[in-house]
Amino acid sequence: MKQKSTMLKVISILLIIFGGLSLISGIYSIVMRGVIEKTAASLGIAIPSTLSYVLTLVGAFVFLAAGIIGTLYKSKQSVLILGIILAVFEVFNIVYATMTAGFAPLNLIALIWPLLYLWGWYQSN
């Protein structure tokens, strides 16, 4: 029988929670896009691009998928694949944020999720 580590279980549950919150936030942002753009224009800040809205939804689905597969833990290979997808998404997100808003060291904190997820995968049997 496959046995997942406690770390993988905890991180997977957190990914499901944050993925769900991100999905709600992304849908709300798309619905309120007109208000957000007017507010940003009146404040003189950059209007969020369509890609930023898409990245929010894609990120939410990646987090949800990784969390669900991590909690089910049917095969070690599927958890690894989603861990790699999660890591690639976070790296892309950091690069995109750096290109649009400039580099901020706090952006690197986002790499904690895939690292902990993959560490939990590594500890599992």
Side-chain angles (χ1 to χ4, degrees), residues 4 7 29 32 48 77 106:
K4 62 183 166 201
M7 173 161 313
S29 295
M32 299 299 291
Q77 183 179 9
L106 289 177

Side-chain angles (χ1 to χ4, degrees), residues 15-82:
L15 287 177
I16 292 172
I17 292 169
F18 291 136
L21 291 174
S22 181
L23 183 63
I24 292 168
S25 171
I27 292 170
Y28 182 75
S29 295
I30 290 171
V31 169
M32 299 299 291
R33 185 173 182 177
V35 174
I36 292 170
E37 290 177 355
K38 287 179 185 176
T39 305
S42 69
L43 293 174
I45 58 175
I47 297 172
S49 68
T50 304
L51 183 60
S52 62
Y53 293 111
V54 171
L55 281 177
T56 302
L57 293 178
V58 169
F61 287 121
V62 168
F63 267 51
L64 284 171
I68 290 169
I69 297 298
T71 54
L72 294 177
Y73 195 70
K74 297 292 181 184
S75 76
K76 196 169 181 176
Q77 183 179 9
S78 63
V79 174
L80 174 64
I81 290 170
L82 274 167

